Amino acid sequence: MNSIYCWFAIVMVISGTTLANDSKKLQNVKTVIAIADKVINFHDRTTECVGELMCILAALPESERNKMLSTPLGLLNKIATDKGQDRYSLIYAEAKKLLAGYPTIEHVLNAAANGHSVKDHKVCASKYSKCPYEPKELLDTVNDLGDITKLFSKNEFGKVIADALEYNYTHVGMTQTHSRKKRSCDKEALDISCGTLGATCGLATVGCAICAFFSFGTCITVCGTAVAGACGSVIAGCGIAEIACPAKHEHVSAQRPVTDKRFG
């Protein structure tokens, strides 16, 4: 588990610095993508929540998808679903060709293509039924990665991590933060949340690398300290929480049980 966090650190350093060196752009972006491909596979192979996320994102009406184009996941979604009618279509095609050599990322892009084809989030949820989260909760991660406070206070994934961290603080005698009640810790929920956010961060890093390499201006701002800061907080939080969180459930935490109905 620790090695996966090291991979994230390497990816962030490469994507944030050496991509600026024109003579090494292609090799560096390939390095970022290759590492991120392994990160995504490591975190997402059991739940496929990121595949469902991309499927659901692509199934949204075009007007809603376009609002997310400035995010790294929105950019990857556009790359996966573009039909040659956009002014960037030739660049999207080149980016898609570059990403085709990485099986996990290609699988996620195919999920987006499937969602765009069916245009029904229920079909996405059925296809990726191993993921216990609802469509809205998955879509929230697209925007919440840019807001650390929202990520750990309102986002369903982040709240599970926050609960585990609070459990750690209160059980080692530290002062409770923000007058929150004493928390418990759900190991299974924590593993799923950390895995999903970890894979999402890996995919966001790919989107940011592609954004920088092909000089898209739309997602440069989001790909700065906002995504890096949020993902860094997730990595650090999960590392601490996984050590503190007991192996057995004490009771169900903020996340709904896996057996809940996903649609009303």
Side-chain angles (χ1 to χ4, degrees):
M1 181 63 71
N2 287 336
S3 62
I4 215 70
Y5 299 143
C6 293
W7 286 352
F8 264 127
I10 293 170
V11 167
M12 286 301 183
V13 169
I14 293 174
S15 61
T17 57
T18 55
L19 282 179
N21 187 333
D22 290 340
S23 65
K24 295 183 178 180
K25 267 190 173 182
L26 182 59
Q27 186 56 48
N28 285 330
V29 77
K30 285 183 176 180
T31 301
V32 170
I33 295 169
I35 296 173
D37 185 76
K38 293 180 180 179
V39 169
I40 297 165
N41 180 62
F42 178 90
H43 281 297
D44 198 48
R45 65 182 182 274
T46 57
T47 63
E48 294 193 334
C49 285
V50 173
E52 183 179 343
L53 167 60
M54 291 296 284
C55 182
I56 292 169
L57 180 58
L60 291 172
E62 185 177 2
S63 59
E64 292 185 44
R65 283 189 289 117
N66 287 340
K67 291 178 183 177
M68 297 183 177
L69 189 56
S70 62
T71 67
L73 298 190
L75 173 61
L76 290 176
N77 188 277
K78 186 68 175 178
I79 289 169
T81 60
D82 181 68
K83 301 298 182 182
Q85 298 177 335
D86 190 281
R87 64 187 178 123
Y88 289 123
S89 289
L90 292 177
I91 304 177
Y92 291 145
E94 286 299 311
K96 190 172 183 179
K97 186 186 300 183
L98 176 62
L99 294 170
Y102 304 91
T104 302
I105 294 173
E106 186 174 20
H107 172 72
V108 173
L109 294 185
N110 287 338
N114 290 335
H116 188 257
S117 176
V118 300
K119 292 181 171 59
D120 187 343
H121 65 266
K122 293 184 179 180
V123 174
C124 294
S126 176
K127 184 176 180 61
Y128 299 95
S129 58
K130 290 188 292 184
C131 179
Y133 286 99
E134 294 183 4
K136 183 183 182 304
E137 294 166 346
L138 291 168
L139 288 175
D140 282 345
T141 65
V142 178
N143 295 316
D144 292 350
L145 278 180
D147 188 332
I148 296 174
T149 301
K150 184 184 292 185
L151 181 68
F152 284 101
S153 62
K154 297 181 180 179
N155 186 284
E156 289 300 317
F157 300 91
K159 284 194 293 185
V160 173
I161 300 171
D163 285 349
L165 290 173
E166 189 74 2
Y167 173 90
N168 180 48
Y169 293 152
T170 58
H171 281 259
V172 295
M174 294 180 67
T175 303
Q176 295 182 38
T177 57
H178 307 298
S179 299
R180 296 171 66 188
K181 294 181 180 179
K182 187 175 181 179
R183 302 289 179 162
S184 188
C185 187
D186 185 332
K187 176 65 173 175
E188 182 180 1
L190 178 64
D191 288 345
I192 294 173
S193 294
C194 285
T196 301
L197 283 175
T200 302
C201 282
L203 195 61
T205 302
V206 173
C208 289
I210 291 294
C211 183
F213 181 70
F214 289 101
S215 300
F216 288 109
T218 55
C219 53
I220 292 295
T221 302
V222 181
C223 284
T225 56
V227 170
C231 288
S233 295
V234 167
I235 295 163
C238 284
I240 296 170
E242 286 176 356
I243 294 172
C245 192
K248 295 182 179 180
H249 300 177
E250 292 194 357
H251 71 73
V252 177
S253 65
Q255 181 188 335
R256 65 178 47 77
V258 174
T259 55
D260 273 10
K261 291 182 179 179
R262 292 146 54 90
F263 304 101

